Amino acid sequence: MVEDNLKNILKELPPEVKLVAVSKFHPASDIQAAYNAGQRRFGENRPQEFAAKVPSLPDDIEWHFIGHLQTNKLKFVLPYASLVESIDSLHLLEAVDKWGSEHDKVIDVLLELHLGAEETKGGFTEEEIESILSRSLSGAEGSGAEGPFSHIRFRGLMGMATNTDDVSVVEADFARIEAFKKSLEDRYDLPGFTELSIGMSHDWPVAIRHGATIVRIGTAIFGPRVY
Ligand SMILES: *Cc1c(COP(=O)(O)O)cnc(C)c1O
């Protein structure tokens, strides 16, 4: 079943768009089944669950962390994640940078833009993201010291559209993040800032019309999650 689901999605997904199979709440055996069908990129959102799964699975899996991350849980995530997609506060970003500095590792991240109406959803405003990127580029020129975020590699933006069946609302959310990413690319010299991670099981076809380079699909691959 997992294999058929993957096949059906990959049939529709443009080849340049990266598929993250979101395996949260599903056992390692489901991940292995998707791996055996050829999938190599997986996403998890709970730090301890993530760290527990990694050792039992093949080591050429590219793991993305996509959930809320508390600064006291970095050790469960940063040694294994190729990309932390869900940086949603300055406090977290600074802690990840510090962890990278202490472990001599540069961490690839996406900045999460707050989209949609729900007050509970996390993420930065446009202004906050601009301020972080300006600070990262201001560097420590000439001083010999390390600049701000010297152990962070900014790879792009992540967003979650409003959870609604109204496609026009989803379109508006994705159009907003697409336009914002474009305006950042036009105004800042950010090599490697190329990724736009938008789109989940119910809205990824809309996301690819709005420039998604990464889609994060769980239910449509693994079936419903049992919490
Ligand atoms: C769970 C989750 C997904 C996948 O959701 P589905 O609707 O199951 O495809 C994508 N992105 C994030 C951030 C998630 O937490």
Side-chain angles (χ1 to χ4, degrees), residues 22 24 66 158 160 200-201 216-219 225:
V22 176
K24 65 191 190 192
I66 63 169
M158 186 271 239
M160 270 188 277
M200 302 164 49
S201 288
R216 312 175 308 270
I217 302 182
T219 314
R225 292 178 280 274

Side-chain angles (χ1 to χ4, degrees), residues 35 89 106:
Y35 179 93
S89 75
V106 176

Side-chain angles (χ1 to χ4, degrees), residues 11-195:
K11 239 180 4 214
E12 306 294 325
L13 199 68
E16 68 278 10
V17 177
K18 299 190 247 315
L19 171 63
V20 175
V22 176
S23 47
K24 65 191 190 192
F25 296 93
H26 292 282
S29 54
D30 287 5
I31 302 175
Q32 186 67 53
Y35 179 93
N36 294 345
Q39 179 65 21
R40 291 293 180 272
R41 197 179 291 106
F42 293 88
E44 288 281 336
N45 78 333
R46 294 192 304 180
Q48 278 103 328
E49 176 185 339
F50 174 44
K53 280 173 175 170
V54 168
S56 66
L57 286 158
D59 58 13
D60 63 342
I61 287 179
E62 178 186 317
W63 293 104
H64 289 206
F65 191 79
I66 63 169
H68 182 63
L69 182 54
Q70 289 170 298
T71 55
N72 61 350
K73 305 231 166 104
L74 301 185
K75 65 171 185 285
F76 297 115
V77 171
L78 298 185
Y80 317 112
S82 305
L83 183 63
V84 181
E85 295 203 14
S86 44
I87 299 288
D88 57 3
S89 75
L90 184 57
H91 177 63
L92 173 61
L93 182 65
E94 287 172 344
V96 170
D97 184 40
K98 180 158 175 274
W99 190 97
S101 163
E102 287 164 1
H103 294 80
D104 198 21
K105 188 174 174 184
V106 176
I107 317 291
D108 281 32
V109 307
L110 303 183
L111 299 173
E112 183 176 349
L113 177 66
H114 176 92
L115 288 174
E118 291 115 295
E119 295 300 326
T120 49
K121 262 195 220 159
F124 293 108
T125 63
E126 276 98 341
E127 291 73 23
E128 287 167 333
I129 288 177
E130 297 248 359
S131 134
I132 287 167
L133 294 177
S134 313
R135 237 178 96 192
S136 84
L137 289 170
S138 70
E141 280 153 40
S143 71
E146 284 188 340
F149 312 129
S150 58
H151 288 77
I152 299 285
R153 194 180 292 121
F154 294 98
R155 299 300 316 280
L157 299 178
M158 186 271 239
M160 270 188 277
T162 309
N163 188 8
T164 171
D165 292 333
D166 185 343
V167 177
S168 69
V169 174
V170 174
E171 291 268 1
D173 285 344
F174 287 157
R176 192 179 123 204
I177 192 169
E178 180 185 27
F180 181 54
K181 172 152 175 287
K182 175 125 203 345
S183 93
L184 292 174
E185 285 167 349
D186 290 348
R187 289 176 298 119
Y188 295 90
D189 180 25
L190 291 163
F193 193 84
T194 53
E195 304 293 353

